[in-house]
Amino acid sequence: MPVEVVTFLFSNEYIRKSLQVRIIFQCAPFLKGLKAACMVSVEKEFCQEFQKVFEGTDMEYKILSENKGRRLVFLYRRNELSAYLRRDEVRNFLENYGYSCEDFESALGRLSERVCRYACENRGFPHEIGAFLNYPIEDVKAFIKQGGKGEIMNGYWKVYHNPRRARFIFQAYDKAQTSAVNEYLAGRSIREIGGRKRTGRSFFCV
């Protein structure tokens, strides 16, 4: 992303505080259908805007936790994320942390419970959250086993296996962000950038 574009977007007080700008910068791969879910941290007062922003789209959101006036919001496409969580390797991994992936609402509730508990204990995030964000399961497992150290590549997540695949995905995510920002600057809304109903749209199977 060119520095000039970022500077322009965040030089204006109104734009800098815009919920849509934050979503575009932090969640562009999700908006563009390359991920089934993402997260964004916003001030409490912004949360009432989410329903309006996503109205009429296939995108949903859940507030996972609140701390010091900020809320951690999980954005997702239900059908895609539910199908992903039911994959054998993902389901088997998450079951070790008490998740029931056959019950989507239960899984999200468990995630919120774990996130809140970690926040109260000042422990960051429960590391299995990477599975909900489409990070490769083998990398999530390695991150946990190695305590977040020893990665061979760092980008949208810490990479421990298959850096060639990760590099390809990182480049696609970067392009998604550039595309989303350009569309926003051209006057398109979140709904127009990534919120249309989709059929048969796939995301990266990592």
Side-chain angles (χ1 to χ4, degrees), residues 2 5 18 22 32-33 38 43 45 54 63 65 67 74 82 86 88 95 97 99 101 107-108 112 119 156 173 205:
V5 174
S18 167
R22 296 186 188 198
K32 288 301 183 181
C38 68
E43 290 84 351
E45 57 266 25
F54 293 141
I63 298 171
S65 66
N67 186 33
F74 185 68
S82 178
R86 290 197 304 270
D88 288 344
E95 283 178 350
Y97 294 90
Y99 291 88
C101 295
L108 289 189
S112 178
Y156 287 88
Y173 285 2
C205 299

Side-chain angles (χ1 to χ4, degrees), residues 19-87:
L19 177 62
Q20 294 200 41
V21 169
R22 296 186 188 198
I23 293 173
I24 288 169
F25 266 91
Q26 297 183 46
C27 303
F30 165 70
L31 293 176
K32 288 301 183 181
L34 303 183
K35 287 169 58 71
C38 68
M39 291 193 306
V40 61
S41 176
V42 299
E43 290 84 351
K44 181 178 179 180
E45 57 266 25
F46 276 107
C47 289
Q48 61 186 5
E49 296 182 33
F50 276 95
Q51 184 173 354
K52 181 179 179 181
V53 169
F54 293 141
E55 185 178 4
T57 76
D58 60 348
M59 295 183 287
E60 300 180 52
Y61 70 94
K62 179 178 179 63
I63 298 171
L64 294 181
S65 66
E66 180 178 341
N67 186 33
K68 297 179 180 179
R70 297 187 67 84
R71 288 179 172 178
L72 185 66
V73 184
F74 185 68
L75 313 179
Y76 60 93
R77 288 187 171 92
R78 179 178 296 266
N79 291 341
E80 294 178 356
L81 181 58
S82 178
Y84 180 75
L85 295 180
R86 290 197 304 270
R87 292 183 182 180

Side-chain angles (χ1 to χ4, degrees), residues 136 139 152-175 204 206:
D139 284 339
I152 58 177
M153 184 178 170
N154 199 349
Y156 287 88
W157 68 84
K158 287 191 175 182
V159 179
Y160 295 85
H161 303 276
N162 203 336
R164 181 179 181 181
R165 176 189 60 184
R167 191 174 296 109
F168 170 77
I169 295 174
F170 290 173
Q171 290 173 350
Y173 285 2
D174 288 341
K175 290 179 180 178
F204 278 113
V206 298

Side-chain angles (χ1 to χ4, degrees), residues 2-18:
V3 175
E4 296 81 2
V5 174
V6 177
T7 300
F8 168 75
L9 284 173
F10 287 93
S11 62
N12 180 281
E13 183 73 10
Y14 174 77
I15 293 179
R16 186 168 67 250
K17 291 185 176 181
S18 167

